[in-house]
Amino acid sequence: MIIDLRSDTVTQPTQEMRAAMSNALVGDDVYEEDPTIKKLESMSAKLLGKESALFVTSGTQGNLIAVLSQTKMGDEVILDENSHLFFNETGALASIASVQSRTLKGNNGKMLISDIIESIRGEDIHHPKTSLICLENPHARAGGRTLSLSYMKEVFTLSKEQNISVHLDGSRIFNAAIELEVNPHDIAQYTDTVQFCLSKGLSAPVGSVLVGPKEIIVRARKWRKALGGGTRQIGVIGAAGIVALEDMINRLVVDHDNAKELALGLKSIVGDAVSVENTETNIVMLSARKLGFDAANFINLMKLSGILANAQGKDTVRFVTHRHITKKDIKQTISIVKNIINKK
């Protein structure tokens, strides 16, 4: 039996999702005639406290469209150097959006306010215009760490003073809301646009949603078409997204509990190679280097025993809990890691 802890993107749709997909009312969404997608977008906007929403095929597409809709060619975007938008989205900011990235060193995804202020360009013929600040909450490469509401408010207040937009990569925003014990719209209020994924912990098979002001979403819809994201009877997929929003958000707390149990169990074996305190959502980071391993080698040893995980660089192993991971799986993973350590 395989225990797949590589990502929450491996989740399978529920039976309720499959039934909803089978019976979905559909229409041509390019003509804005798909009733199921319209319902999903309306639900999403309301849930995040925004005026409008747009279904997109992926979080990467949603992030790119958000940038395209709030910048012009040659503008500059401020973002964390380890953000998904900069690190894992194939250089699309440069190659497609034609904007310059001003990357800042963050602490668990949190850029210093003073660094943001210093990075905002003034009026100078030699400089690009700073048009957008991008945040990520929770921050994937920081191990699912969250940004506090007070921090987000500070960034948003600064951005409005400088007439700059804020986009949030909120792929796992519902995980952040659970950890922070707030409503999702409490996070989204300190942004202009938010992208969130239906296909991670929420278990839908495909799709993300971009939410924001109506005028931005109108531009976003056109950019989606330009990127080949205009779809026809996509309500077949959107139906699963509706079930995800209705039924799957509250159960994410189980994934958080399992992640903390995994972190505690691993810490009892590997000590400070794992931080329980830093395990806030559904991601656990293990320093293979501190154990004398290369991350790729450690992952291969786990794979021989049926445990799948991902490497983050050469030194770190990342485990992600999700709906298909049980308490039994957590215990087995801890046991297998212990055996690997003992055989070294």
Side-chain angles (χ1 to χ4, degrees):
M1 179 180 174
I2 299 297
I3 299 174
D4 196 341
L5 288 156
R6 291 173 299 171
S7 177
D8 44 12
T9 60
V10 303
T11 51
Q12 298 284 313
T14 65
Q15 289 302 313
E16 291 80 6
M17 289 178 184
R18 294 174 189 270
M21 292 166 69
S22 177
N23 297 306
L25 296 174
V26 297
D28 190 324
D29 187 48
V30 173
Y31 293 140
E32 299 185 44
E33 294 175 353
D34 191 299
T36 302
I37 286 297
K38 282 182 171 291
K39 180 179 178 180
L40 172 62
E41 290 172 343
S42 177
M43 288 175 62
S44 298
K46 184 176 181 180
L47 188 60
L48 274 296
K50 297 299 184 184
E51 188 177 19
S52 192
L54 181 72
F55 178 80
V56 293
T57 57
S58 69
T60 296
Q61 186 184 71
N63 282 336
L64 176 59
I65 289 173
V67 174
L68 285 163
S69 301
Q70 296 175 92
T71 64
K72 295 180 180 179
M73 181 185 294
D75 285 354
E76 191 165 71
V77 175
I78 296 174
L79 69 174
D80 172 65
E81 64 182 2
N82 281 308
S83 63
H84 195 279
L85 241 167
F86 178 74
F87 203 94
N88 282 328
E89 298 189 5
T90 68
L93 289 176
S95 64
I96 301 177
S98 299
V99 295
Q100 179 165 289
S101 297
R102 183 69 175 268
T103 56
L104 303 181
K105 186 177 182 61
N107 179 15
N108 294 316
K110 182 179 179 179
M111 299 176 287
L112 291 176
I113 297 296
S114 57
D115 287 347
I116 296 175
I117 293 172
E118 188 175 334
S119 299
I120 295 173
R121 303 284 192 162
E123 292 293 332
D124 190 308
I125 195 171
H126 302 90
H127 297 165
K129 178 184 178 181
T130 303
S131 292
L132 188 64
I133 300 171
C134 294
L135 302 176
E136 184 176 337
N137 194 13
H139 195 286
R141 289 184 63 81
R145 299 293 297 276
T146 57
L147 301 177
S148 68
L149 290 187
S150 60
Y151 174 77
M152 292 197 64
K153 181 179 181 180
E154 194 170 2
V155 173
F156 190 63
T157 301
L158 169 64
S159 75
K160 296 303 105 176
E161 292 171 351
Q162 299 292 327
N163 196 29
I164 298 170
S165 295
V166 173
H167 171 64
L168 176 66
D169 178 356
S171 292
R172 298 182 176 92
I173 191 172
F174 303 110
N175 295 88
I178 287 171
E179 170 63 19
L180 296 172
E181 298 182 334
V182 299
N183 289 318
H185 61 73
D186 292 330
I187 299 173
Q189 68 179 316
Y190 300 123
T191 69
D192 292 283
T193 56
V194 180
Q195 174 277 129
F196 69 84
C197 287
L198 299 164
S199 58
K200 289 187 167 70
L202 299 188
S203 300
V206 178
S208 292
V209 182
L210 177 66
V211 301
K214 184 176 181 179
E215 63 181 284
I216 293 178
I217 299 303
V218 168
R219 293 199 294 269
R221 186 176 296 276
K222 192 166 185 176
W223 276 117
R224 185 186 69 175
K225 180 63 176 173
L227 294 173
T231 50
R232 303 302 177 178
Q233 288 73 34
I234 197 63
V236 170
I237 298 297
I242 291 173
V243 176
L245 295 183
E246 288 176 338
D247 298 345
M248 305 304 289
I249 294 174
N250 290 336
R251 67 144 307 280
L252 292 174
V253 69
V254 176
D255 300 339
H256 293 199
D257 290 344
N258 283 339
K260 289 177 173 61
E261 184 174 331
L262 177 60
L264 281 166
L266 292 176
K267 186 173 181 64
S268 68
I269 301 165
V270 303
D272 66 357
V274 166
S275 172
V276 177
E277 294 76 18
N278 291 345
T279 304
E280 295 181 355
T281 53
N282 66 324
I283 300 176
V284 179
M285 308 292 269
L286 182 148
S287 173
R289 178 180 56 82
K290 288 186 177 181
L291 303 175
F293 289 90
D294 176 88
N297 177 245
F298 196 87
I299 285 171
N300 285 334
L301 291 172
M302 287 194 298
K303 188 175 182 179
L304 293 173
S305 297
I307 306 295
L308 302 182
N310 272 337
Q312 185 164 296
K314 296 180 179 180
D315 300 330
T316 304
V317 176
R318 189 186 82 158
F319 303 91
V320 184
T321 56
H322 51 81
R323 186 170 64 86
H324 303 306
I325 298 299
T326 65
K327 297 290 186 185
K328 181 180 177 181
D329 294 331
I330 297 298
K331 290 178 181 178
Q332 187 171 345
T333 301
I334 294 167
S335 176
I336 288 170
V337 170
K338 183 176 183 179
N339 288 338
I340 293 172
I341 301 298
N342 290 340
K343 289 179 180 178
K344 185 173 183 298

